Amino acid sequence: MPLHYTDCSFAYRAGTPVLDRLTTALPEGCTVLLGPNGAGKSTLLSLGASCIAPSSGRITLGRLDSARKRDRRAFRQKVGWLPQEVKAIPALTVREQAAYVGWLKGLHKRDAWDRSATALEQVRLTEVGGRKSHELSGRQLRRLGIAQTLVHQAEVVLLDEPTAGLDPLQRGVFRDLLAELSDSVHFIVSTHQTEDLADIYDTVLVFNRGRPVFRGPVSDFLATAPVGTPYERRAESAYRGLLQGEI
């Protein structure tokens, strides 16, 4: 059940629109969202999470409309969101913060508390669940952010640069996590890292200047790389070629 953007426009203050009458659907499965800085990726995800509202147009998930008051709570329960910056709540422990986010999403306190344990286990943070969240390292805080998107059992999870600052081992944990959950959750992951692309994702969506310039299976994306490109550089080469075609 993908997110649908219908005729959506958005601008920060009185600036040039980041999105201008965009109509698209975020794919089902596990999708990587690529694009240069300023392409509109974070805005696209923020709108999809209903953190900001479009100046015009609609964003829907099935029959739920993010702008419709009677739908908003159910919409937000079904959509998980990890922004680029994850903030600790100093007064809370790691588990309390995960549970608190579940409660904000509409879960009963007991359900939020119970599910927080599962979410922390999924991101390998069980052992630090009793520590204050502000005591976590930056990398651990990113993993707590991922747990927060999982605690309310969302159907669609939007992740903005979730592996920024993670070492190869931690990126492997993230890759395993997506694999474990991909049967029941649709993931949209914005990133600048292409090295693990073929091992993780089903679909590639390349975004530039507020609009999609490529959407298709990973195999089709890699096939746009020039013949003879070394395998380990095909994703990088394909991405660069698509953006050069936009200049």
Side-chain angles (χ1 to χ4, degrees):
M1 184 187 300
L3 281 169
H4 285 266
Y5 297 72
T6 304
D7 207 23
C8 283
S9 297
F10 181 85
Y12 291 97
R13 297 182 179 178
T16 302
V18 180
L19 304 181
D20 187 14
R21 302 184 67 179
L22 172 71
T23 295
T24 191
L26 297 184
E28 296 182 344
C30 199
T31 299
V32 60
L33 176 60
L34 302 175
N37 291 332
K41 303 187 305 298
S42 294
T43 300
L44 184 77
L45 297 183
S46 296
L47 286 165
S50 73
C51 293
I52 55 178
S55 54
S56 63
R58 304 170 63 228
I59 300 166
T60 56
L61 180 65
R63 296 182 178 180
L64 300 175
D65 188 326
S66 66
R68 191 182 297 145
K69 287 186 178 181
R70 69 174 183 269
D71 290 347
R72 194 167 299 151
R73 179 174 177 176
F75 183 95
R76 288 177 172 172
Q77 283 185 333
K78 290 181 179 293
V79 179
W81 164 235
L82 176 68
Q84 289 187 16
E85 183 179 1
V86 181
K87 295 183 178 180
I89 304 175
L92 301 183
T93 66
V94 172
R95 185 174 178 186
E96 287 170 344
Q97 179 162 331
Y100 176 64
V101 172
W103 175 76
L104 289 177
K105 288 281 191 172
L107 295 178
H108 294 295
K109 288 184 179 180
R110 173 51 61 183
D111 289 339
W113 181 251
D114 291 344
R115 292 181 185 180
S116 67
T118 301
L120 292 179
E121 182 180 0
Q122 289 174 313
V123 299
R124 317 298 193 264
L125 285 180
T126 299
E127 292 184 359
V128 298
R131 291 173 54 184
K132 296 296 184 181
S133 59
H134 72 272
E135 297 175 348
L136 296 181
S137 68
R139 295 169 181 175
Q140 289 173 321
L141 195 58
R142 298 294 298 172
R143 287 155 65 190
L144 174 57
I146 296 172
Q148 291 175 178
T149 71
L150 302 173
V151 70
H152 53 95
Q153 298 180 329
E155 295 179 5
V156 178
V157 173
L158 310 174
L159 305 175
D160 198 355
E161 296 289 346
T163 57
L166 300 185
D167 60 33
L169 178 61
Q170 291 166 331
R171 288 202 302 272
V173 171
F174 174 75
R175 181 173 61 246
D176 293 343
L177 176 62
L178 291 192
E180 291 171 11
L181 298 172
S182 59
D183 288 340
S184 57
V185 181
H186 304 295
F187 287 97
I188 311 294
V189 183
S190 172
T191 184
H192 290 288
Q193 297 171 322
T194 59
E195 56 267 30
D196 297 328
L197 185 146
D199 298 326
I200 303 176
Y201 303 103
D202 305 311
T203 305
V204 178
L205 178 62
V206 181
F207 212 68
N208 193 29
R209 299 176 183 175
R211 63 185 181 86
V213 297
F214 177 89
R215 171 178 167 161
V218 172
S219 58
D220 289 357
F221 171 74
L222 295 177
T224 66
V227 175
T229 302
Y231 179 81
E232 65 274 11
R233 300 196 61 184
R234 288 174 66 197
E236 177 188 350
S237 180
Y239 172 60
R240 187 169 59 247
L242 286 166
L243 292 185
Q244 288 175 344
E246 287 287 290
I247 297 175

